[in-house]
Amino acid sequence: MKKLIVFLIICQCGYSQTPVSFYPSYDPIVGGFGSRVDLDGNEIIVSNASTLAYVFEKNANGLQQKQVIYSPNASDGGFGYAISVENNRIAIGDPLINSVAENAGSVFIYGKTGDLYDLQQIIPSPEATANYHFGSCVKIFGNHLFIAAENQVNYQNASSNVGSVYHYLFNGTEWVFQQKLTLGNSSFFGKKIEVNDNILAIYGTSSNGTTKYFALFKLIDNNYAFTGSHEYNGLWGQFDFSLSGNYIYAIVNENVVITEVNSDGTSNFYGSFNTYFDIGSQALGTIVVNNDNLFLGISYHILAISVNFPVFHYKKTGNSWNYQSTYYGTGPLEDDDFGTTMATKNDLVIIGAPQETLQPLPPIQGNAYYIDYSLANEQFEYNAISLFPNPTSNRIFVNNSNSLAISKIEIYSVSGKLLQTQNSNFNEISLENFSTGLYFAKIYSQSDVSLTFKIVKN
């Protein structure tokens, strides 16, 4: 009998870096940059989900833009709706291209020649059905390629299609069809695809939309066999999941529910934890996990008010997932969607903000950020800084036991609004002008690494 483990959030503070913003450095600059993001090694792929994709490379000097990949049919407006990169190969889905029928969809495969990618294969929709939306999700994993035909893209439905996922194998020269995966009485099947080792996980909902789930498949002789699903009812927020190792991490309202996948493809509940603080009227919507690092993004604000969208970072220590930090973008409140798309691998997390407005001339819509969390522990340690008393009625004192060089202290509301910046007198924080409630204090080192503390004024 397996031991049930419930993961508790035990940290009151966390370290972080300021997310580094990046956007195209040369034409064409179009709206929606950051709509889709992916990465492999030092390469980062970002698309605007309509006409083109950009290739960036991370090096010692930051990010360098390497290439723009243009849509072969720019008039359809769906190129880059899905992207996946691995081992010098990129799959770009265009579910709105008229390959064999109106909006039937296609997938474009690019391979690297020298330092640049060129088009090597076009995989058209296998079904001559209007609005079939082949290419609405793509995923490369080794010599396996998965392409979804979701039943709705840009609010266009295909009544004859409840969602399918097509599995292709690479024969050394091209991708060859292997099998089609479907589940009866489902919808949006293939909205998200996660794969790791011999396990495949696919997003789906019930036909009436009341149940959301991930379906599990196990690889047997180059074909994937269905082994079961995990269903969730009564969700008030969006549903998302991420597969890392033998575990699936799913957003279930304000909780992260963890499922262990066994070697035979069966699975069982393993544990769960609640988010670091009550997110109130903000709804969790995106999750990505890479080994011992987990990131959560907000999908929307229920009250439709202007607030900064946060991304929450957790790190696993032993059997506990501990809160590390809350990240924010730098865009205006009224068009903030920081964290609605994310990808992570190695020690990088890429965060998209496709509606964020930048202010060069002319203004640019769309932004993206990266965080190198391998640098996050620097020399700014938990036990070097502490705050007391907490809760407090007036002021909090900063205990800096190692005399670390502090550059500034910022106070944020729970909605992410910057309320106060302190550039001197780092021995104490005054809350005299604040009403009772929960706040966050970010204490920055001289190298811009920060610790985040939850503080309460009573």
Side-chain angles (χ1 to χ4, degrees):
M1 181 176 178
K2 289 189 177 291
K3 182 179 179 181
L4 176 64
I5 301 176
V6 178
F7 296 86
L8 301 177
I9 303 308
I10 59 175
C11 264
Q12 293 286 323
C13 62
Y15 52 75
S16 73
Q17 291 178 293
T18 300
V20 180
S21 169
F22 67 98
Y23 53 89
S25 59
Y26 56 83
D27 291 338
I29 297 175
V30 296
F33 176 79
S35 294
R36 300 291 185 269
V37 297
D38 199 18
L39 74 159
D40 187 51
N42 290 324
E43 284 195 331
I44 297 166
I45 315 299
V46 182
S47 83
N48 70 339
S50 60
T51 55
L52 46 79
Y54 298 86
V55 182
F56 296 84
E57 182 181 72
K58 185 178 183 298
N59 51 43
N61 297 318
L63 287 191
Q64 178 185 0
Q65 184 174 317
K66 303 289 290 186
Q67 184 179 357
V68 180
I69 301 176
Y70 298 85
S71 169
N73 183 21
S75 62
D76 62 72
F79 186 78
Y81 187 89
I83 57 176
S84 180
V85 56
E86 186 177 285
N87 294 332
N88 294 326
R89 293 183 290 205
I90 300 175
I92 300 180
D94 185 341
L96 301 181
I97 197 169
N98 301 337
S99 52
V100 293
E102 184 178 2
N103 297 333
S106 289
V107 171
F108 301 87
I109 305 298
Y110 295 81
K112 182 173 281 190
T113 302
D115 200 35
L116 299 176
Y117 286 91
D118 55 29
L119 181 63
Q120 296 185 345
Q121 185 178 357
I122 300 175
I123 305 176
S125 171
E127 306 288 342
T129 303
N131 295 328
Y132 198 68
H133 299 144
F134 181 77
S136 54
C137 183
V138 294
K139 188 75 171 182
I140 300 175
F141 181 76
N143 288 326
H144 300 270
L145 169 65
F146 305 92
I147 303 174
E150 190 188 328
N151 75 336
Q152 185 186 83
V153 169
N154 292 355
Y155 307 104
Q156 301 175 40
N157 291 286
S159 59
S160 62
N161 177 30
V162 296
S164 303
V165 172
Y166 293 81
H167 173 210
Y168 292 77
L169 291 176
F170 189 67
N171 65 8
T173 304
E174 63 180 359
W175 295 96
V176 179
F177 171 75
Q178 179 69 16
Q179 69 179 132
K180 178 182 178 180
L181 302 171
T182 59
L183 284 182
N185 194 33
S186 67
S187 185
F188 295 102
F189 186 71
K191 183 176 181 178
K192 185 170 187 178
I193 301 170
E194 293 276 275
V195 59
N196 187 40
D197 295 329
N198 296 323
I199 300 299
L200 173 67
I202 301 176
Y203 177 107
T205 70
S206 61
S207 57
N208 60 9
T210 60
T211 301
K212 299 179 182 179
Y213 65 86
F214 59 83
L216 291 173
F217 299 81
K218 178 178 172 58
L219 181 63
I220 302 174
D221 296 330
N222 282 333
N223 284 297
Y224 283 86
F226 177 68
T227 61
S229 63
H230 284 253
E231 300 179 350
Y232 301 95
N233 298 299
L235 301 183
W236 61 262
Q238 293 194 28
F239 176 69
D240 194 20
F241 66 90
S242 181
L243 171 64
S244 180
N246 294 325
Y247 299 93
I248 293 180
Y249 304 83
I251 294 175
V252 181
N253 295 332
E254 294 181 11
N255 299 306
V256 175
V257 176
I258 305 169
T259 300
E260 182 180 27
V261 183
N262 306 310
S263 58
D264 61 357
T266 60
S267 57
N268 51 271
F269 174 76
Y270 187 75
S272 65
F273 65 84
N274 189 262
T275 51
Y276 178 55
F277 60 86
D278 184 4
I279 61 174
S281 56
Q282 297 179 104
L284 290 174
T286 52
I287 182 171
V288 292
V289 184
N290 178 37
N291 296 325
D292 294 336
N293 289 275
L294 180 152
F295 299 87
L296 292 169
I298 298 295
S299 60
Y300 64 95
H301 197 287
I302 296 171
L303 301 180
I305 61 176
S306 296
V307 296
N308 283 120
F309 275 28
V311 167
F312 306 112
H313 179 195
Y314 298 79
K315 189 173 180 65
K316 187 178 181 182
T317 305
N319 286 326
S320 297
W321 283 94
N322 304 316
Y323 167 79
Q324 297 296 290
S325 189
T326 301
Y327 302 104
Y328 294 96
T330 57
L333 295 180
E334 61 270 14
D335 57 16
D336 192 17
D337 60 348
F338 177 78
T340 51
T341 60
M342 294 192 293
T344 183
K345 191 178 287 186
N346 300 328
D347 293 318
L348 286 178
V349 59
I350 310 302
I351 301 173
Q355 295 182 28
E356 185 174 302
T357 302
L358 304 178
Q359 296 306 320
L361 295 175
I364 300 170
Q365 184 189 53
N367 201 4
Y369 299 80
Y370 74 88
I371 301 169
D372 186 345
Y373 46 87
S374 68
L375 305 176
N377 56 4
E378 206 183 3
Q379 295 181 354
F380 211 0
E381 302 172 355
Y382 286 133
N383 57 5
I385 299 285
S386 61
L387 304 182
F388 68 95
N390 190 12
T392 184
S393 59
N394 191 1
R395 63 185 60 199
I396 286 182
F397 295 95
V398 180
N399 179 26
N400 186 356
S401 60
N402 289 350
S403 299
L404 297 174
I406 296 174
S407 63
K408 65 179 177 180
I409 299 175
E410 295 177 339
I411 306 298
Y412 289 86
S413 70
V414 293
S415 66
K417 182 179 180 180
L418 177 61
L419 303 175
Q420 175 177 294
T421 300
Q422 190 169 323
N423 296 307
S424 61
N425 188 22
F426 299 129
N427 295 321
E428 63 181 57
I429 303 170
S430 175
L431 300 179
E432 184 177 358
N433 296 323
F434 291 80
S435 57
T436 59
L438 174 66
Y439 300 91
F440 289 90
K442 294 187 71 172
I443 302 179
Y444 289 81
S445 72
Q446 294 290 346
S447 55
D448 209 29
V449 175
S450 68
L451 282 167
T452 300
F453 295 83
K454 180 178 73 173
I455 55 179
V456 178
K457 180 175 181 180
N458 57 20

